Amino acid sequence: MNTKEYFDSMASKWDEVTKHDSKKIEAILDLIGIRKCSNIMDVGCGTGVLVSYLNKRVGENGKIVCVDISDKMIEIAKNKYRDCTNVSFINADVNNLNFRNYFDYIICYSVFPHFEDKKNTLLNLTNMLKKGGYLAIAHSQSRKQINQLHKSLPHPVNTHILPNINHLRLLANDKLAVVKSIDDNEKYVVVFKKI
């Protein structure tokens, strides 16, 4: 089983087995500082956990592009948000997309451990950001909790590890500067700015 197949197999029960604390999500999005009318990419959107939160922040003149490698997850998200005219869904590996200097914000919420080549993914995401745009890598659980959870799951997810912030800084390219970071018992958030 590969990563895509794992998430395809989990899609129908994902909303039942995964719980996200809305207060923590709001706090994470506050840290990112999303402005009205922004263009946002939600990477690894799954069943659309962040869509309603992001939509509220960008307003009807903002755009949200949701990307996921799992076609089953995208199908569920599309059905949940079919009435949102400013939200689009792309079933793809984010590393295969051709956006350049387009997004004000790119958010990787609860997905970063699942990228096989994290350094290359960070570079590709950087290229999709406008200069001065923000890239956020976030989880509403601690790094320790995320890594323990993944170790208990089937292969290949059991090898998907969330790096500590110092290691993440080393993976980042010279166009990304860390502007905020939290790695505590409650959450993991790193916000980069494209310089």
Side-chain angles (χ1 to χ4, degrees):
M1 180 181 302
N2 63 30
T3 302
K4 179 196 178 311
E5 291 166 342
Y6 172 78
F7 285 104
D8 279 346
S9 75
M10 294 297 293
S12 64
K13 55 189 170 188
W14 191 254
D15 290 336
E16 296 169 28
V17 300
T18 59
K19 301 298 176 204
H20 297 272
D21 183 327
S22 61
K23 288 181 183 173
K24 285 186 182 180
I25 290 174
E26 293 285 9
I28 289 167
L29 296 179
D30 285 345
L31 283 169
I32 299 168
I34 297 165
R35 295 181 304 271
K36 289 275 186 200
C37 305
S38 296
N39 290 336
I40 297 180
M41 178 186 280
D42 178 5
V43 180
C45 66
T47 60
V49 171
L50 290 186
V51 172
S52 60
Y53 299 96
L54 296 174
N55 214 0
K56 182 174 67 172
R57 288 170 185 259
V58 300
E60 59 187 33
N61 293 321
K63 291 182 184 167
I64 304 166
V65 176
C66 299
V67 180
D68 203 286
I69 198 168
S70 167
D71 52 308
K72 306 276 191 238
M73 293 276 194
I74 285 286
E75 185 179 316
I76 292 168
K78 276 183 178 177
N79 285 331
K80 284 164 66 174
Y81 298 102
R82 64 180 164 264
D83 295 332
C84 294
T85 57
N86 64 333
V87 181
S88 59
F89 297 90
I90 301 173
N91 174 219
D93 179 331
V94 71
N95 289 302
N96 295 332
L97 298 180
N98 294 322
F99 294 99
R100 289 293 175 259
N101 304 309
Y102 183 79
F103 294 101
D104 301 295
Y105 301 91
I106 296 177
I107 301 173
C108 298
Y109 176 69
S110 293
V111 69
F112 195 74
H114 306 299
F115 296 127
E116 191 172 312
D117 185 343
K118 292 172 177 56
K119 187 176 185 76
N120 187 57
T121 299
L122 283 172
L123 179 60
N124 288 331
L125 294 175
T126 302
N127 290 335
M128 295 185 217
L129 271 179
K130 294 176 182 174
K131 187 173 182 180
Y134 295 90
L135 167 62
I137 296 167
H139 289 263
S140 54
Q141 291 176 287
S142 72
R143 182 172 55 87
K144 182 178 178 182
Q145 289 171 313
I146 294 296
N147 290 339
Q148 284 177 340
L149 171 65
H150 287 175
K151 287 177 186 176
S152 72
L153 296 173
H155 182 79
V157 180
N158 63 346
T159 63
H160 295 182
I161 301 301
L162 182 61
N164 67 46
I165 290 175
N166 287 334
H167 185 69
L168 187 61
R169 286 176 197 262
L170 293 174
L171 291 173
N173 55 77
D174 60 0
K175 292 181 183 174
L176 290 177
V178 175
V179 292
K180 295 177 187 168
S181 63
I182 298 172
D183 185 359
D184 62 20
N185 294 330
E186 293 288 316
K187 58 187 165 293
Y188 178 99
V189 182
V190 181
V191 180
F192 294 99
K193 183 174 186 177
K194 183 174 179 178
I195 52 177

